[in-house]
Amino acid sequence: MKTIVPTYEITYTRDRIAASFIVTLNGIERNIPHNLFLSLFPRIDRRNRFASVEASAAELEALSVIADISDPLSSRITYELSERHGCNYVVTHVTSGQQLVILPGAFRKIAGVSHRAVSGTSTLSAAKLAEVGFIIEGGNNNDCNYQYANYA
């Protein structure tokens, strides 16, 4: 007698720059290192940038464990150099929708973006997100933003 194993369809995006795959687990975008994703799903077509793969419950559990170990709070951002905002970068946190304006030199140093980049997307760790100025769920460790408020 054959046993029917339930499967789940996981949609993924391949990020060549970060050498990772981006998947959504429990409503949160997660960054999975390239080699670990391919070891878990060797059957995928590596040429596709956007695709989906069927995963068993065991594969899904392994994927979530890998996501928690590799970078538990990494998130995707978009950025654009805006003349309207004084030739500064307008950076948007995709998951929360937060948006801020940051000086080009500071953003390039924190995010590791090329000086020629005008717009694009990137994935940053929770520490880097806090350094840019986003408010991260569970608290923000970047207290240096508040040191200038006490000057008076």
Side-chain angles (χ1 to χ4, degrees), residues 2-144:
K2 280 191 162 184
T3 306
I4 299 174
V5 178
T7 59
Y8 306 92
E9 188 170 327
I10 299 174
T11 304
Y12 62 87
T13 304
R14 187 176 47 133
D15 186 354
R16 287 185 181 174
I17 296 170
S20 64
F21 285 87
I22 301 160
V23 296
T24 303
L25 297 171
N26 298 327
I28 301 171
E29 274 192 357
R30 305 303 293 269
N31 232 4
I32 310 295
H34 186 264
N35 56 350
L36 294 176
F37 189 84
L38 290 176
S39 67
L40 195 56
F41 300 107
R43 61 189 176 273
I44 67 168
D45 186 359
R46 299 175 188 205
R47 294 173 293 178
N48 293 339
R49 184 158 182 233
F50 304 101
S52 60
V53 63
E54 287 193 9
S56 67
E59 289 172 329
L60 192 60
E61 183 179 353
L63 190 63
S64 65
V65 168
I66 289 170
D68 289 340
I69 291 171
S70 62
D71 194 3
L73 295 174
S74 68
S75 293
R76 223 145 150 81
I77 61 163
T78 61
Y79 56 90
E80 179 180 2
L81 198 59
S82 173
E83 287 186 23
R84 185 172 154 221
H85 293 93
C87 291
N88 294 315
Y89 278 103
V90 176
V91 184
T92 305
H93 186 245
V94 174
T95 307
S96 69
Q98 294 179 51
Q99 194 171 47
L100 55 85
V101 177
I102 186 169
L103 294 170
F107 180 69
R108 289 179 188 129
K109 183 177 179 183
I110 294 167
V113 174
S114 168
H115 69 280
R116 295 179 293 169
V118 176
S119 66
T121 62
S122 183
T123 303
L124 298 179
S125 67
K128 294 283 186 186
L129 287 171
E131 206 173 326
V132 169
F134 289 110
I135 298 171
I136 308 302
E137 186 177 318
N140 195 342
N141 296 329
N142 191 6
D143 292 334
C144 66

